[in-house]
Amino acid sequence: MNPDKTYKVYSWTAWAGKGMATRPTVKKVLEERGVQFLSLDQGIKFFMADLLDRHESEMVFSGMDYDFGLDGMLKDPLGSASPFLDHILDQAPDSATWHRTLDMERDIFLDDHTMGDVPLFLGSTGIETLAQAAQCLSPDRPCFKGLRDFSIPYGIKLLKNRPKELMISGKNLGEGRFDCRISSMFRSPQGRVMGDPKLHYQGCLKFGQTPPESRRIDLPKVSKISWEGDLKSLVYHPRRLFMSGLFDTITDINSFDGTTLVTTIVHDSGAEFFKGVKDPDFVAAPVWVDAMFQTGGLLEFLTSSVTVLPYKINALDFYGTPEKKIPYYCITRKTRSGEETNTYDLTLCDLQGNLFVDIRGFEMVKRSSLAGEDWIVDKVKFVGAEKEKIMI
């Protein structure tokens, strides 16, 4: 052996899009075994980073091969209660950090939330990820009760559909409270980590030993409303509410008086959320929470014609998990219009007024005004409140 030269041996997992593993029969066998495929983008980054490492001579690149876990210790994240957490990077008695790579092939839900063809990680899936981290740190308090002081300092985009590596950290603060965060590191094309971690999501999650006590609210009075054309095309438009498929959930506008908006929300999609998984075991009902967020955007399209995106939540209280194919009311009240953000209070309840999710101090940051041809203000008519309550 020449001491001036570095020799390396690589053992690669199956690559996605190239190589023998793309053959239909081979691909099927590997998928049935649970082998995770390595994307070209990630593989090139790993390879280039390792070429610069003069210390390691043998490398194994592989996702989790769950068939090797004969003792059951290796659990497939897509079959577990924590599909947004992959493997633990660091663990202490009261804290942990997990790794998760967002990937378009695996995370199919991202296809239904794109702005200008750029997939965006949703605010509600960010909350769900934090809730899963807190739940893992809370074995004696398994029931999600809500969160406080949630914010999105920097959104998560999958530019050019490239995988995005995330770090999810959680710390037990005691008494059922957990400080959780989602961050990422920038890697150069050669795979080098550059700069400090970028914080994307943060919040304080609340868990308890028993589910929250049920609450019931009085339904608001109705304000007559009518609109031109088809409601779906009116609401869901690439330059207005840029959701589709799984997140196409607003089915009716029941009432609007200029300040309070009442909509009907139904989650009836049978599509896969993750590859091969239609109904994951979620903690914080992300599809319904996202639908609530959408109503803030819709309220602005009915008045100011300004595009807004989730930014902060003062308090979210969780009273129960909504069911698929069942209609719910979302009551959205605009409480403040600021220079950079607007603030709303949101309530999700069933048709009898039983409360499921209550959000207070929900700030949405203003992005830009809609182009005139995208306005819907002149297509919707509403009048003052009537005496009767909302009905379906």
Side-chain angles (χ1 to χ4, degrees):
M1 301 287 281
N2 191 326
D4 296 328
K5 294 183 179 180
T6 300
Y7 299 85
K8 291 179 177 285
V9 178
Y10 293 96
S11 177
W12 293 100
T13 186
W15 285 58
K18 292 289 183 181
M20 186 177 68
T22 60
R23 297 176 183 175
T25 54
V26 177
K27 187 171 185 291
K28 181 178 180 180
V29 170
L30 293 176
E31 286 178 337
E32 289 177 349
R33 285 196 55 192
V35 173
Q36 293 185 13
F37 286 64
L38 181 66
S39 70
L40 289 172
D41 184 67
Q42 282 183 296
I44 292 170
K45 287 180 179 179
F46 290 154
F47 179 69
M48 295 304 296
D50 187 62
L51 283 182
L52 301 174
D53 186 344
R54 293 180 174 274
H55 302 288
E56 296 292 340
S57 61
E58 184 173 347
M59 299 296 295
V60 177
F61 295 85
S62 176
M64 296 294 287
D65 188 345
Y66 303 103
D67 273 13
F68 284 123
L70 301 179
D71 58 0
M73 294 297 290
L74 299 180
K75 296 181 179 179
D76 185 345
L78 294 186
S80 74
S82 306
F84 280 119
L85 309 177
D86 277 349
H87 58 271
I88 291 181
L89 296 174
D90 184 56
Q91 189 170 18
D94 62 349
S95 64
T97 300
W98 292 264
H99 177 272
R100 176 61 152 89
T101 299
L102 294 175
D103 184 278
M104 296 300 295
E105 184 176 350
R106 170 185 178 183
D107 298 308
I108 299 176
F109 70 92
L110 292 168
D111 278 325
D112 293 342
H113 191 256
T114 61
M115 177 184 287
D117 296 326
V118 177
L120 304 180
F121 196 56
L122 293 78
S124 64
T125 48
I127 292 174
E128 175 64 29
T129 303
L130 299 182
Q132 290 179 19
Q135 188 181 60
C136 288
L137 293 170
S138 181
D140 60 332
R141 297 172 183 262
C143 300
F144 177 58
K145 291 198 170 185
L147 81 161
R148 297 291 184 269
D149 303 323
F150 171 77
S151 64
I152 308 175
Y154 197 88
I156 299 174
K157 302 177 181 179
L158 275 72
L159 298 176
K160 297 183 179 179
N161 287 352
R162 292 173 178 168
K164 181 76 173 180
E165 295 183 56
L166 303 178
M167 293 176 292
I168 302 98
S169 61
K171 181 176 179 60
N172 190 339
L173 303 177
E175 299 181 350
R177 297 178 302 116
F178 303 85
D179 178 62
C180 298
R181 304 184 177 201
I182 302 175
S183 59
S184 67
M185 295 291 293
F186 176 77
R187 292 181 183 270
S188 70
Q190 292 74 36
R192 292 179 179 176
V193 174
M194 303 180 66
D196 296 325
K198 179 174 289 184
L199 179 62
H200 295 286
Y201 294 76
Q202 61 183 349
C204 182
L205 288 295
K206 296 172 58 182
F207 279 75
Q209 294 178 337
T210 58
E213 293 185 10
S214 60
R215 279 186 55 195
R216 190 165 181 168
I217 64 171
D218 293 329
L219 298 176
K221 295 178 180 179
V222 70
S223 297
K224 293 180 180 179
I225 185 167
S226 61
W227 55 85
E228 299 176 12
D230 174 62
L231 180 64
K232 182 175 179 179
S233 59
L234 196 69
V235 173
Y236 293 103
H237 186 282
R239 291 187 295 274
R240 291 193 288 270
L241 289 184
F242 45 87
M243 296 83 173
S244 60
L246 283 162
F247 308 106
D248 179 355
T249 48
I250 298 176
T251 61
D252 197 4
I253 302 176
N254 307 95
S255 170
F256 187 49
D257 61 7
T259 302
T260 300
L261 171 67
V262 182
T263 54
T264 298
I265 292 172
V266 181
H267 172 29
D268 61 357
S269 173
E272 294 179 351
F273 198 97
F274 303 107
K275 184 177 181 180
V277 181
K278 292 184 178 181
D279 296 304
D281 187 8
F282 284 139
V283 179
V287 174
W288 286 272
V289 172
D290 176 74
M292 298 176 73
F293 292 174
Q294 292 178 32
T295 65
L298 177 59
L299 189 151
E300 293 304 322
F301 298 146
L302 296 175
T303 53
S304 69
S305 298
V306 172
T307 302
V308 289
L309 291 176
Y311 177 48
K312 290 184 178 180
I313 294 176
N314 181 38
L316 181 154
D317 291 307
F318 196 80
Y319 294 93
T321 301
E323 298 182 30
K324 289 186 70 171
K325 302 186 183 299
I326 302 295
Y328 295 87
Y329 290 136
C330 183
I331 304 166
T332 305
R333 297 181 178 89
K334 187 173 182 178
T335 60
R336 178 181 174 274
S337 181
E339 184 175 340
E340 296 183 352
T341 65
N342 292 335
T343 307
Y344 315 81
D345 288 341
L346 311 172
T347 301
L348 184 72
C349 65
D350 65 16
L351 306 193
Q352 291 72 47
N354 295 303
L355 189 59
F356 282 79
V357 183
D358 191 39
I359 300 176
R360 291 290 176 264
F362 173 49
E363 286 188 58
M364 300 189 83
V365 64
K366 299 179 181 179
R367 294 189 67 253
S368 59
S369 297
L370 293 174
E373 62 267 24
D374 295 323
W375 287 9
I376 62 172
V377 173
D378 57 346
K379 298 181 181 180
V380 179
K381 309 296 181 184
F382 55 93
V383 297
E386 302 291 334
K387 292 184 179 180
E388 61 269 17
K389 293 182 178 180
I390 52 178
M391 300 289 290
I392 281 201

